[in-house]
Amino acid sequence: MIALLMCMFTALASPSTPLAELRDQADRVVIGEVLTTRTQREDHNAYTVATVRVWETLRGSADPIVEVRLLGAMLQDQDLTVYGQAKLYTGLEVLLFLQGDQVVSMGAGAFVLLGERAYRSGNPRMAPDPRTVGHHAESLYVSHEVDAVRAALQ
């Protein structure tokens, strides 16, 4: 029973949303670099807030800096990370599909850029940066040409 529930949860949290669906859900799509992250606490929730320097706005308002709120955080006394949520680390170059100040479909709307390709892990347990797996990135990560993303947004 537990194994069945874990499989169902993995399927629900796995970032396998098609590009067209991400496009339809997003009111803003940006390419940029994660400058910093911080923890923000509210009444019953904790968020990781990533500050992103925007290099290119593909959809939505063109602001030079956006703050992205990710549900979950690593607190000093508690790990409140959310399985399947995007992981945005300082220094990563990213492509983000946003709705308001949040990534659409949790981890599915956040990609790491390597050259002209945007990657995201198909497994929420894997590192967000495909460089961590060397030449296995193509088999372990979902990827799109950045120009194909631009074209899909037109």
Side-chain angles (χ1 to χ4, degrees), residues 8 40 49 59 71 73 76 90 103 107 121 124 129 133 135 138 152:
M8 288 172 47
Q40 178 180 337
V49 179
R59 173 184 279 176
L71 186 59
Q76 196 169 27
T90 300
V103 175
S121 171
D129 189 344
V133 296
H135 64 277
E138 290 300 324

Side-chain angles (χ1 to χ4, degrees), residues 1-14 83 124-125:
M1 181 66 168
I2 291 174
L4 176 63
L5 289 173
M6 289 299 289
C7 288
M8 288 172 47
F9 184 71
T10 299
L12 291 173
S14 180
Y83 184 80
R125 292 186 188 101

Side-chain angles (χ1 to χ4, degrees), residues 2 5 47 59 70 72 83 93 111 113 115 142:
I2 291 174
L5 289 173
Y47 296 90
R59 173 184 279 176
L70 306 165
Y83 184 80
E93 297 174 7
F111 295 81
L113 294 176
V142 174

Side-chain angles (χ1 to χ4, degrees), residues 16-30:
S16 59
T17 308
L19 188 58
E21 195 171 318
L22 294 173
R23 176 198 64 210
D24 294 344
Q25 292 176 20
D27 57 21
R28 177 185 283 183
V29 181
V30 299

Side-chain angles (χ1 to χ4, degrees), residues 52-132:
V52 178
R53 177 187 302 134
V54 177
W55 297 333
E56 183 179 354
T57 300
L58 304 176
R59 173 184 279 176
S61 60
D63 298 316
I65 300 286
V66 295
E67 290 200 332
V68 180
R69 288 173 23 122
L70 306 165
L71 186 59
M74 290 291 293
L75 304 176
Q76 196 169 27
D77 59 340
Q78 213 171 9
D79 177 359
L80 299 176
T81 55
V82 175
Y83 184 80
Q85 182 61 274
K87 296 177 184 94
L88 300 178
Y89 298 126
T90 300
L92 284 180
E93 297 174 7
V94 293
L95 164 67
L96 301 172
F97 288 79
L98 303 170
Q99 187 173 55
D101 62 356
Q102 297 190 351
V103 175
V104 301
S105 297
M106 292 179 66
F111 295 81
V112 173
L113 294 176
L114 289 180
E116 285 299 310
R117 289 195 77 76
Y119 292 86
R120 77 165 181 264
S121 171
N123 180 342
R125 292 186 188 101
M126 290 184 64
D129 189 344
R131 291 175 290 200
T132 61

